[in-house]
Every structure is written in C-alpha cells, then in structure tokens.
Amino acid sequence: MASQTRDPAAASAAASRKGAEPSRGATWGPVGKWLQQELMTLMMSGDKGISAFPESDNLFRWAGTIHGAAGTVYEGLRYKLSLEFPSGYPYNAPSVKFLRPYKWPATYDVRTILLSIQSLLGEPNIKSPLNTHADELWKNPTAFKKYLQETYSKQVSS
C-alpha cells in the first residue's frame, strides 16, 4: 500500500528537475497553505517598497523586489531577489539567493525578511564588512552614493 504522507517540497523539487511545474491544490499540503497565507499577509500589509510573488505556478519559488528606503543612499533604486522555500518551511526559513548561506530565524516571515533587508541597506553593519571598499566609502556618503550609482547602473544595463 502506498504511503498517504507526501512531502510537497520534494514533489516540487522532483517536478522542477523534470522541467514541470508542481501541481496545485492538495499536493501543496500544509507548506503550500502556509505560503498562501504568507502571500496574503504580504499583499495586505501595505508596506511601501517591498513585494514578492510566486514565480508562475511554483509556490515554492518567489520573485521579490525591494526599493531603497527614502532618506538613504539607496533611495530611488530597486533590487530584485529570488526566494526559495525549503520543505520544512516555516520551521526552516527561506533562503535569499544573494545572502546564502545566511539563515533567517524561523520566527521571520517573508514580510519581515524583506523589511529587514531594506533596513540593512540603510543601516549596514560596518563593523563587520564583507566589502571593505564599501566600508571605507560609507564614511563619505557622497563618495559612497557615487560609487553605488555607478555600480547599480552597470548591473542594471547588463
């Protein structure tokens, strides 16, 4: 007799490997229901400058956008990111591709993760910089903003 328990994320991963989209509805299981709730919470929050939505019909992969917060050197810039949700979500927090292998606390939801990234842009931890050049420039906001605009323009145009 076949097992009645299914891992929707494993089914999603298997479908992705085969190039197919995961099926909807009951096969998403409790994780899918949780992600649908996350999406609704994010859509209803009214938070300015953040958004995220599932990529096509794949509820386990989302495309997000963060706008630079007003009053920071990032104001007027927009960043795209990709979120992937593991099989144990919400107990295993989602990964954000450019932050791997950073692990978010399990108490964070998608909304708080996006807001935290937006906040970190305006108030980085310069005592432990990954980019020492940016750390030096951060001390001079005008120079930092010039460098940021040049780098952003190159990345957006490519």
Side-chain angles (χ1 to χ4, degrees):
M1 179 181 269
S3 172
Q4 295 296 318
T5 59
R6 292 187 57 172
D7 181 352
S12 173
S16 294
R17 283 192 295 275
K18 293 177 185 174
E21 292 294 328
S23 59
R24 293 191 222 177
T27 59
W28 280 344
V31 175
K33 288 179 185 176
W34 186 274
L35 289 172
Q36 288 174 327
Q37 181 181 8
E38 290 273 333
L39 179 60
M40 188 60 71
T41 299
L42 184 61
M43 289 172 43
M44 301 300 287
S45 72
D47 292 313
K48 302 283 186 213
I50 62 166
S51 64
F53 298 95
E55 293 179 358
S56 51
D57 282 343
N58 188 343
L59 192 60
F60 296 90
R61 297 185 75 158
W62 292 19
T65 303
I66 296 176
H67 294 261
T72 70
V73 295
Y74 297 95
E75 184 174 7
L77 304 180
R78 184 179 67 176
Y79 298 91
K80 295 180 181 181
L81 44 103
S82 178
L83 297 112
E84 295 179 3
F85 297 91
S87 62
Y89 185 77
Y91 304 105
N92 296 329
S95 64
V96 180
K97 284 192 175 183
F98 70 88
L99 293 176
R100 278 187 184 153
Y102 189 84
K103 299 225 180 212
W104 294 98
T107 56
Y108 277 35
D109 59 12
V110 174
R111 178 183 161 272
T112 54
I113 290 170
L114 295 174
L115 289 170
S116 295
I117 294 170
Q118 186 181 48
S119 176
L120 285 170
L121 287 172
E123 299 178 29
N125 178 5
I126 60 172
K127 295 183 194 287
S128 178
L130 294 174
N131 183 339
T132 56
H133 182 243
D135 176 45
E136 286 300 314
L137 286 175
W138 186 257
K139 296 170 188 167
N140 180 345
T142 304
F144 184 86
K145 188 165 187 168
K146 181 181 179 205
Y147 175 74
L148 175 67
Q149 292 287 346
E150 290 170 358
T151 304
Y152 183 85
S153 294
K154 285 178 190 175
Q155 290 179 354
V156 168
S157 65
S158 62

